[in-house]
Amino acid sequence: MATQKHVDVVTVGAGWTAGILAQQFTAANMDVISIEAGPQRWATEDFEHNHDSLRYTLRKAMMFDLNRETWTWRPNPNKPSLPIRQFGSFHPGQGIGGAGIHWAAQTWRFYPSDFNYRTHHIERYGEEKLPEGNMIQDWPLDYADLEPYYTQSEYDIGISGQVGNLGGTIIEGGNPFEGPHQRPYPLPPLVRSKAADMFSAASREMGYHPFPQPAAILSEAYRDISGRERSGCIYCGFCTRFGCEVDAKASANASHIPLALETGRYHIRTNCKVIRVESNKDGLATGVTYIDQTTGEEHFQPADIVILSAYTLSNVRLLLLSSSDSHPNGLGNDQDRVGKNYTYQLIGGPVTGLFKGQRFNSYMGNSCLQDLIHDFNADNFDHSDLDFIGGASISCGGGEKEPVTSTLNMPVFDMEKDGSAGDEDGDGNQGTRPRPPIASEVGSLAGAGTQWGQAWKDNLRENWDSVTGIGIQGESLPYTDQFLDLDPTYTDNMGQPLLRLTYDFHDNDYKLYRYIAQRCKEIMDVMNPDHVVTTTELSPYNVHSYQSTHCTGGAIMGDSPENSVTNRYGQVWDTPNLFVTGAALYPQNPGMNPTGTLLALAYWQADAIKNQYLREPNHLITY
């Protein structure tokens, strides 16, 4: 095994958080190497002609190679697990930039109450309101701690949006429920879609507070932290699961990574798979062992600081795989906390409306063209008389209705002609029938399956661009029976155990969905469609239909080794020179995309490592 030159910092992965850390550390004259399992890729060379739905949307060209590594899943500890053989529920990426290349770029700040979730709900409703078997806990930091870092990341990469709370003053047109911002977003919102305008008009009529989606997509040209002026969005419609051909969509390899590389102190080794973090008899990390996947050779990269900055599931798996004499159960796992508090995201489309004769041009842009309301997100509404806690964002008007998969996902509207087992009242709507999971994201024809042949063609021809839906994104809570661990049966192509996911929805999820779905139906009714398809009940979780890549938790931060894997800086309790970044740190997942917060956390962590940890290396930061 070859031993490489010693460096100050080695990161596992070269995505969003690794890019931010590399830029911050190299600016402080530190030497950094990222070990990246995927290939190198850059906008101008790789994304100029990438409008290939077959390659990117169906065949997942930017995602993990499931022939080498996948995950197993079971709904609860009493069931057997099986490997995930094709992409479905989530889509982790590989390559320089990570999932930040093909993300949708919805960029949020979590609510102040999200950070003290347990305390907030107990103080307002009593502990008996918390669901049975929960593992809910407060974060070890609060919104005020992260606010300066939210602002820094928003200006470094360029966020488009309308602030709703500027220094405590509520601003018309923004989100009135959000925590206070120091500064407005650097750019105005993206162009709004026609469906978003209709949704907002209906929401205002009902007394709600619609606002445009905050987005890490430039609404106009902007000079970011790299000093380079990037183009504004051209609304091409090939965004999520695609790289941005004009760099309007923010990513680490559009900003931070080039800046770090220019210093000469940062290097990336691509197509190299880290298989273990090594540790010595004192319990400290000494570096990482990796396989060069082009040659099959094994290498050791020594470093003073090791940072796990890959995808959530990869970070957790690597902690568990890195057992040693000093850490027999894996790193961070001396108190059996690794894998706990695994959470996800409650995603659904409760209602779809047909507006005959309307043309929404919904093939343009991406989901960031939507408007939303947060009147029913988090604890922005009174739960005293409700049988659940938590909430969800409600949105409408996203674009990116690309041709290949959207044709598999058409709702059936002409019930008199085509029939439907779900048309309970004969009014041409599908009533309360729970629709089967839509599997179009994996290229399957196992969608609703209620219309074929000429009827399907006529529906597609007449209604494809006259349909819009209202969607939800809800929070996910941790429970004792949902967790991550190593599978005892299945292994990857190198013989290492796969990561096993034990997860399913709980009663709180079903009740939350049922309530929010009704709010969605009420808004759609005010929008006045010609026909409506509703899905009023949540189906059990499955891994074969895409929902969200927002896998969170498993290496959570906390105020004690007894309830967490890391401290408030992502520093592993039992291995002080090992840090974890990203959404694996979240004790539970709010009803918003996790990326905006993990970017702010990366800046927060870089600041702590430079200005606190390096004063006393190999010791826990205690302030």
Side-chain angles (χ1 to χ4, degrees), residues 152-199:
Q152 182 177 2
S153 66
E154 288 161 1
Y155 274 78
D156 279 356
I157 65 177
I159 300 295
S160 302
Q162 172 60 60
V163 164
N165 182 339
L166 187 59
T169 300
I170 303 303
I171 306 298
E172 182 70 25
N175 178 9
F177 304 103
E178 67 187 7
H181 291 235
Q182 288 181 0
R183 303 171 67 184
Y185 290 122
L187 294 166
L190 293 164
V191 171
R192 316 317 302 147
S193 70
K194 182 176 182 179
D197 288 341
M198 294 168 61
F199 169 82

Side-chain angles (χ1 to χ4, degrees), residues 442-453:
V442 293
S444 167
L445 290 174
T450 57
Q451 191 179 48
W452 304 95

Side-chain angles (χ1 to χ4, degrees), residues 130-347:
L130 303 183
E132 182 180 358
N134 79 87
M135 297 180 69
I136 297 167
Q137 64 186 62
D138 293 344
W139 293 53
L141 49 81
D142 58 28
Y143 178 85
D145 291 323
L146 273 192
E147 203 288 332
Y149 302 96
Y150 275 127
T151 299
Q152 182 177 2
S153 66
E154 288 161 1
Y155 274 78
D156 279 356
I157 65 177
I159 300 295
S160 302
Q162 172 60 60
V163 164
N165 182 339
L166 187 59
T169 300
I170 303 303
I171 306 298
E172 182 70 25
N175 178 9
F177 304 103
E178 67 187 7
H181 291 235
Q182 288 181 0
R183 303 171 67 184
Y185 290 122
L187 294 166
L190 293 164
V191 171
R192 316 317 302 147
S193 70
K194 182 176 182 179
D197 288 341
M198 294 168 61
F199 169 82
S200 288
S203 297
R204 287 191 193 95
E205 183 178 332
M206 300 174 72
Y208 302 145
H209 305 84
F211 60 94
Q213 171 70 57
I217 300 175
L218 304 183
S219 56
E220 57 191 46
Y222 183 76
R223 195 174 303 278
D224 68 13
I225 187 177
S226 71
R228 183 170 59 91
E229 188 171 68
R230 292 162 37 217
S231 166
C233 181
I234 59 174
Y235 304 95
C236 69
F238 294 84
C239 192
T240 311
R241 294 169 193 82
F242 297 83
C244 183
E245 62 201 84
V246 296
D247 273 354
K249 183 167 65 172
S251 66
N253 64 354
S255 51
H256 296 78
I257 289 176
L259 198 55
L261 290 171
E262 287 172 5
T263 67
R265 291 183 171 272
Y266 181 48
H267 302 279
I268 305 173
R269 297 200 185 114
T270 55
N271 297 304
C272 292
K273 175 72 173 177
V274 175
I275 59 172
R276 188 169 55 256
V277 178
E278 305 293 351
S279 57
N280 61 23
K281 61 183 178 59
D282 297 319
L284 296 173
T286 57
V288 300
T289 297
Y290 67 90
I291 302 293
D292 185 328
Q293 296 179 110
T294 60
T295 65
E297 296 176 348
E298 188 171 302
H299 297 259
F300 174 63
Q301 176 58 63
D304 291 332
I305 300 172
V306 177
I307 299 178
L308 305 188
S309 53
Y311 183 60
T312 293
L313 302 181
S314 299
N315 288 340
V316 173
R317 181 177 184 239
L318 199 51
L319 288 170
L320 294 170
L321 288 174
S322 300
S323 59
S324 65
D325 291 341
S326 53
H327 299 288
N329 296 318
L331 297 174
N333 206 30
D334 287 1
Q335 299 204 39
D336 194 32
R337 301 307 304 172
V338 174
K340 303 297 192 293
N341 287 66
Y342 173 69
T343 51
Y344 190 47
Q345 198 90 70
L346 185 62
I347 298 288

Side-chain angles (χ1 to χ4, degrees), residues 49-86:
H49 305 287
N50 70 339
H51 294 183
D52 186 340
S53 293
L54 187 62
R55 181 183 180 193
Y56 292 102
T57 303
L58 292 182
R59 295 177 177 169
K60 310 295 186 294
M62 293 188 181
M63 315 305 176
F64 268 51
D65 183 351
L66 298 187
N67 291 316
R68 293 180 171 179
E69 177 187 347
T70 184
W71 314 269
T72 68
W73 170 74
R74 58 183 181 172
N76 61 65
N78 298 318
K79 299 290 185 180
S81 61
L82 289 172
I84 299 173
R85 301 292 189 183
Q86 63 179 9

